Amino acid sequence: QVQLVESGGGLVQAGGSLRVSCAASGRTFSRGVMGWFRQAPGKEREFVAAISWSGGDTYYADSVKGRFTISRDNAKNTVYLQMNSLKPEDTAVHYCAAVQGYVPSNYIATPWPYDYWGQGTQVTVSS
């Protein structure tokens, strides 16, 4: 089992920055993908960003490209999402997710391959 714990959410004004973290514990792995998804009230969960655990390949939703950066620290089993130039439409609960093993690139932005999910951290951007 892998446990994921997010932290770092909060309230920020539009144009500001936040960094959320996801710490993995339990059975860790050397292959796979870790990602961030978010869900706003009344909306479906949507993909934000993902990173391969060993290769450092990164993937971003079009809505966050150029503003968000995903990174990882394998020594700490932690993935980060640096969010800059935040907009009110970024307001959502942000979830960390992880999957072990190979994931076809056309599935990385979907929730289906991910076996493990965190409890979520609220990000609120005021206008």
Side-chain angles (χ1 to χ4, degrees), residues 88-100:
E89 50 263 45
D90 294 318
T91 295
V93 177
H94 284 63
Y95 297 92
C96 177
V99 56
Q100 182 179 10

Side-chain angles (χ1 to χ4, degrees), residues 19 21-24 28-29 34 51-54 56 70-81:
R19 189 179 78 162
S21 304
C22 174
T28 56
F29 42 90
M34 292 191 73
I51 187 167
S52 62
W53 194 250
S54 59
I70 190 169
S71 62
R72 77 211 189 283
D73 183 337
N74 288 348
K76 296 182 179 180
N77 290 325
T78 299
V79 172
Y80 305 97
L81 184 67

Side-chain angles (χ1 to χ4, degrees), residues 22-45:
C22 174
S25 62
R27 188 186 74 176
T28 56
F29 42 90
S30 59
R31 290 189 65 196
V33 176
M34 292 191 73
W36 288 94
F37 290 75
R38 66 187 183 188
Q39 188 166 19
K43 294 187 176 181
E44 293 188 354
R45 190 168 297 191

Side-chain angles (χ1 to χ4, degrees), residues 4-9 20-23 36 94-97 117-121:
L4 304 175
V5 178
E6 302 100 333
S7 61
V20 290
S21 304
C22 174
W36 288 94
H94 284 63
Y95 297 92
C96 177
W117 292 83
Q119 80 289 351
T121 184

Side-chain angles (χ1 to χ4, degrees), residues 1 9 13 22 24-25 30 41 54 56 58-59 79 85 88 102 104 118:
Q1 282 290 342
Q13 288 188 334
C22 174
S25 62
S30 59
S54 59
T58 57
Y59 309 84
V79 172
S85 302
Y102 172 73

